[in-house]
Amino acid sequence: MSKLMMRTMDLRGKTMSRAQLLAAMPRADMGTREASAQVQPILDQVREHGAGALRDLEEKFDHVRPHDLRVPASAMQEALDGLDPKVRAAIEESVARIRKVCTTQVPKPMATDLARGARVSERWIPVQRVGLYVPGGKALYPSSVIMNAVPAQIAGVDSLAVATPPASDDPRGLPAAIILATCAILGVDEVYAVGGAQAIAMFAYGAKGSEPQDGEILCDPVDKITGPGNIFVATAKQMVSGMVGIDAVAGPTEIAILADGQANPDWVAADLIGQAEHDELAGSVLITDSQDLAQGVQEALERRVPRTEHADRVRTSLGGNQSGIILTDGIDQSIDVANAYAAEHLEVQTADPDAVIDRIRNAGAIFRGPYSPVPLGDYMSGSNHVLPTGGTARFDVALGVHTFMKPVEVIEYDQEGLKPIAAKINDFAVAEDLPAHGECILSRFLDDPYDKADLEANEEKAGLR
């Protein structure tokens, strides 16, 4: 077998503009443009034919034709009853921790008094109905159920629906038992055995029933869709965005480790491998000013990769263009690189991690120190693992309670509050060539705001100037 080597980008001694640095970052190719041609017919088919199309598409892509597209309550209870007690305890611990963090995230209403009788307040309103997508593929993701459902529940969302592909080994076409059991633990009872772009279409458009067990309406449309998925799921979310809200168009998962010479190369290697295990397109990046650490990590990868179960997948991921070791002149340049890369997950393993973290502007989540590896956040840190990918952490944020709430301003002015600024608003409106806007305001104080010849005199008489 060929020797495993992560490619090295040597930035030492180089002065790069912001544009050059952003362009130099290792990235996986999303390919959503190419997928659009395949996704559009799926969206159209589900929109027109509902549950009948969903069954056809599940048979085509997941090689099973579900009898029950909506999972029966009995199947969910069966899955919960059969769950390994140790796994159930782990799931319940994860739920308890993220629920505790989410409870503290609930935004509070605010009010600002600008003058007597002039107030602007803000209230936070939960999204009414949400569709949560849970991927299948190379692994099972009960953790994704938790990370999406708990914040939505704490936000006060009225109606939650989960869609996840049928399990390949279930002749009934039901999803994986561990997914169903997790939904049962969380009290989510609306679960669909639907995967891929067709699930996103079902959430966006709703789906009429096609068989007696579906009812007249299989699934009502949602207001927002969240959750990760493959390229076809991501593309479908992008294409229905605007009709419904989405959390993000997620790309392949990624980790950046910002480390100096004191970091443990075996631990760094283990963390890179852990992320590479997700997918052949997963990005694993080490940013360091230590040539010795870089060499030590390469040697550790040589020893460790062959011994992990998904060694072929890991080797492909680590050897891809989206992964690599970036050598820098020092901690300042390392921080610049980390901010340009804007990692989904950023581990900081340096002698003074707090000083580094204080200067990090772009990261989905920051993992401080050698005992806070990324899998802690995947399962049980209490933080959310649904994070911005592909450099979007420069402007986007992790999924949380706020994802499922809308801030709505309430404007409360009485006569006393409006009067002192009425003429000013009219002046502003006239300057924008929108005189009816000003006339709307002046109507509260003048009998005839359309009399422009005597307007200023009338404003003065009314005490507006």
Side-chain angles (χ1 to χ4, degrees):
M1 185 176 291
S2 61
K3 188 176 182 181
L4 172 76
M5 289 290 286
M6 293 180 72
R7 69 188 181 110
T8 299
M9 296 172 55
D10 194 344
L11 302 186
R12 292 175 295 182
K14 295 181 180 178
T15 301
M16 305 177 75
S17 69
R18 175 174 167 82
Q20 288 172 327
L21 194 56
L22 290 171
M25 293 300 99
R27 301 285 185 206
D29 181 17
M30 277 286 288
T32 53
R33 184 177 302 177
E34 293 79 3
S36 298
Q38 295 170 265
V39 168
Q40 187 63 59
I42 295 172
L43 300 180
D44 294 341
Q45 198 173 341
V46 173
R47 187 174 195 173
E48 184 173 352
H49 300 292
L54 293 172
R55 285 188 172 88
D56 291 343
L57 291 163
E58 284 306 316
E59 188 170 21
K60 178 178 179 179
F61 293 119
D62 292 319
H63 313 296
V64 63
R65 190 175 185 87
H67 176 268
D68 294 297
L69 286 169
R70 179 165 177 172
V71 178
S74 59
M76 296 181 66
Q77 186 60 50
E78 177 187 332
L80 183 58
D81 291 343
L83 188 63
D84 183 329
K86 290 182 180 178
V87 175
R88 178 168 183 166
I91 290 171
E92 289 175 341
E93 181 68 25
S94 177
V95 169
R97 286 173 177 258
I98 192 170
R99 186 168 280 155
K100 188 171 184 178
V101 172
C102 285
T103 300
T104 67
Q105 289 181 340
V106 178
K108 295 176 174 54
M110 54 75 67
T112 303
D113 291 311
L114 298 152
R116 286 178 62 88
R119 166 178 282 196
V120 174
S121 57
E122 183 177 78
R123 54 192 295 252
W124 287 80
I125 303 171
V127 174
Q128 188 172 353
R129 178 165 164 79
V130 172
L132 312 177
Y133 186 77
V134 179
K138 295 181 175 66
L140 300 175
Y141 293 101
S143 56
S144 286
V145 180
I146 297 168
M147 298 294 168
N148 284 272
V150 172
Q153 290 174 329
I154 297 299
V157 170
D158 289 340
S159 175
L160 292 179
V162 169
T164 189
S168 59
D169 59 352
D170 192 310
R172 300 169 295 177
L174 295 175
I178 193 170
I179 301 294
L180 299 182
T182 304
C183 289
I185 289 170
L186 290 166
V188 177
D189 59 6
E190 186 180 349
V191 181
Y192 296 92
V194 181
Q198 58 269 27
I200 304 305
M202 178 186 72
F203 281 152
Y205 308 130
K208 59 188 177 184
S210 64
E211 297 187 11
Q213 63 271 27
D214 299 337
E216 184 178 351
I217 301 296
L218 172 73
C219 179
D220 283 319
V222 304
D223 301 309
K224 191 164 192 175
I225 301 170
T226 70
N230 64 18
I231 185 62
F232 300 105
V233 170
T235 301
K237 287 171 69 177
Q238 187 175 55
M239 293 174 74
V240 301
S241 175
M243 171 176 291
V244 295
I246 63 171
D247 52 349
V249 179
T253 190
E254 64 204 19
I255 185 176
I257 303 176
L258 195 165
D260 58 20
Q262 61 81 49
N264 184 319
D266 283 294
W267 294 3
V268 171
D271 295 356
L272 294 170
I273 292 169
Q275 203 66 22
E277 181 180 40
H278 277 282
D279 188 89
E280 287 85 354
L281 291 177
S284 295
V285 175
L286 170 61
I287 305 166
T288 184
D289 59 358
S290 170
Q291 177 74 58
D292 289 343
L293 177 65
Q295 183 61 37
V297 169
Q298 293 275 29
E299 293 169 357
L301 291 173
E302 286 292 332
R303 296 191 303 270
R304 288 171 172 265
V305 170
R307 301 185 65 190
T308 196
E309 181 174 349
H310 301 297
D312 290 343
R313 186 189 309 163
V314 169
R315 185 178 291 274
T316 300
S317 172
L318 294 178
N321 288 332
Q322 75 276 10
S323 299
I325 296 174
I326 302 177
L327 288 174
T328 68
D329 281 322
I331 197 68
D332 291 340
Q333 191 180 33
S334 290
I335 291 169
D336 288 343
V337 170
N339 281 326
Y341 185 64
E344 178 188 13
H345 311 91
L346 175 65
E347 290 187 3
V348 178
Q349 298 190 34
T350 59
D352 189 353
D354 292 329
V356 172
I357 290 170
D358 283 346
R359 297 172 59 191
I360 296 298
R361 299 177 65 93
N362 303 323
I366 301 171
F367 297 79
R368 180 195 180 279
Y371 289 94
S372 303
V374 166
L376 173 65
D378 288 340
Y379 299 113
M380 220 167 286
S381 66
S383 62
N384 203 295
H385 79 200
V386 183
L387 302 167
T389 61
T392 60
R394 290 188 295 119
F395 52 83
D396 209 349
V397 298
L399 185 142
V401 173
H402 59 274
T403 306
F404 302 99
M405 303 189 80
K406 305 170 294 182
V408 177
E409 290 183 325
V410 178
I411 295 88
E412 308 169 66
Y413 275 60
D414 61 16
Q415 184 183 44
E416 185 180 8
L418 181 60
K419 187 173 182 178
I421 59 173
K424 290 184 174 68
I425 294 173
N426 181 61
D427 292 341
F428 211 142
V430 170
E432 290 194 340
D433 194 25
L434 295 170
H437 282 56
E439 291 155 3
C440 167
I441 298 294
L442 295 178
S443 293
R444 271 69 181 170
F445 303 98
L446 304 180
D447 291 333
D448 186 5
Y450 304 97
D451 178 8
K452 305 305 180 186
D454 297 320
L455 183 61
E456 286 197 23
N458 290 332
E459 286 178 336
E460 290 179 6
K461 188 183 301 183
L464 301 184
R465 292 192 185 273

